[in-house]
Amino acid sequence: MVTAQTDPRALAAEAAATLTHRFGISSIDLALVLGSGWSGASAGVGEQLGECPLEELPGFAKPVVAGHGGALKLIRTGTGKVAALFTGRTHFYEGRGVAAVVHGVRTAAAAGASAIVLTNGCGGLHADWAPGTPVLIRDHINLTGATPLEGATFIDLTEAYSARLRALAHEVDPTLLEGVYVQFRGPQYETPAEVRMAKVLGGDLVGMSTTLETIAAREAGLEVLGISLVTNPGAGISPTPLEHAEVIAAGKAAEPRLRALLAVLLDRL
Ligand code: 8IG
């Protein structure tokens, strides 16, 4: 028997039903997942309609990483669209399985979203991509060895990251860079040799999220916009390791730019 206990899509449908019921809405239009360094950027974006701890929705658990918040905020954008903001995500390295990692994406799709913005904090593979630089994800390399798909589910990923949405983001901020995001399993950061490998493979960014979520989003028919915030140079890229305080300061300095980007994007998606 297929139940919410055994079928991740049924569980996502249940979470979506709980979400819409709880907030008294029929559906959502958009979703936004906030990665490391993005919480400040989302403050004040849209009009907040409500908020609930993620673990109160079926299938979600408390995030394990302190500072990776775990709430769902419902907002209304300037153009009247309803967006679900996930203030934290489950990472693959938590060991809860791929279905848990992509549960938010599937819940957003089941609640009616047509597009999802996936953000993250990551390492940069170019010495001149300073901490605080936002980069649109053009494509990805999934080095986790995992996938949210099962069976003969041959999802096309030729344009996993919507060219339409990237063009829109470029209209909003013409100076935005684009790059290829390489997901490692983590939780350890890369060795310098692994960072060189990621670069040889065609990568520009290294991180521990997003690619599995993008695969699940494409399976569910969502348009995906991926935006990375370079928070540190990948291991071995910078001759002098950055001070933690510098990384935090760079993230803070980037907030107004990220906030403006998110606000306008959510209005236009
Ligand atoms: I923030 O340098 C952040 N997340 N894999 N490598 C990986 N993930 C990251 C990094 C990094 N920085």
Side-chain angles (χ1 to χ4, degrees):
M1 190 175 68
V2 174
T3 68
Q5 271 72 50
T6 57
D7 177 16
R9 285 161 200 83
L11 186 59
E14 202 179 282
T18 307
L19 185 165
T20 49
H21 180 256
R22 176 165 183 144
F23 293 112
I25 54 171
S26 56
S27 63
I28 63 170
D29 301 301
L30 307 167
L32 169 62
V33 179
L34 299 169
S36 327
W38 285 86
S39 55
S42 72
V45 169
E47 171 206 354
Q48 186 159 324
L49 302 175
E51 173 170 6
C52 78
L54 265 183
E55 67 261 29
E56 290 180 11
L57 298 178
F60 289 93
K62 257 187 177 15
V64 292
V65 181
H68 287 183
L72 185 141
K73 294 185 183 181
L74 207 66
I75 65 163
R76 193 188 306 282
T77 71
T79 46
K81 290 192 172 157
V82 176
L85 262 64
F86 294 86
T87 70
R89 56 156 55 91
T90 296
H91 289 86
F92 186 52
Y93 58 69
E94 293 173 44
R96 298 179 51 227
V98 195
V101 171
V102 303
H103 185 52
V105 170
R106 285 180 173 153
T107 297
S114 59
I116 189 163
V117 182
L118 299 171
T119 68
N120 62 55
C122 71
L125 301 187
H126 303 284
D128 57 343
W129 289 12
T133 304
V135 181
L136 284 182
I137 302 178
R138 182 176 61 239
D139 201 348
H140 79 218
I141 298 175
N142 170 14
L143 293 185
T144 65
T147 170
L149 310 180
E150 280 162 37
T153 315
F154 304 120
I155 299 298
D156 180 43
L157 294 179
T158 310
E159 201 192 294
Y161 299 87
S162 163
R164 185 183 80 85
L165 297 186
R166 278 185 283 134
L168 202 59
H170 281 305
E171 270 180 39
V172 176
D173 186 343
T175 65
L176 272 178
L177 300 167
E178 281 200 5
V180 173
Y181 181 90
V182 183
Q183 181 176 358
F184 284 81
R185 184 194 180 285
Q188 72 284 352
Y189 290 118
E190 296 72 34
T191 63
E194 287 166 343
V195 164
R196 288 195 300 275
M197 176 189 78
K199 208 166 167 180
V200 166
L201 293 180
D204 303 291
L205 309 158
V206 285
M208 303 181 198
S209 69
T210 306
T211 76
L212 300 170
E213 291 154 69
T214 294
I215 294 167
R218 295 306 298 143
E219 182 198 25
L222 295 175
E223 272 192 293
V224 177
L225 182 65
I227 320 174
S228 288
L229 175 66
V230 175
T231 62
N232 59 277
I237 293 289
S238 162
T240 49
L242 286 187
E243 299 285 340
H244 185 63
E246 285 181 85
V247 173
I248 300 297
K252 264 257 162 291
E255 271 177 17
R257 182 180 181 192
L258 301 181
R259 190 179 302 124
L261 179 63
L262 287 183
V264 180
L265 270 176
L266 288 184
D267 277 355
R268 296 192 51 185
L269 284 184

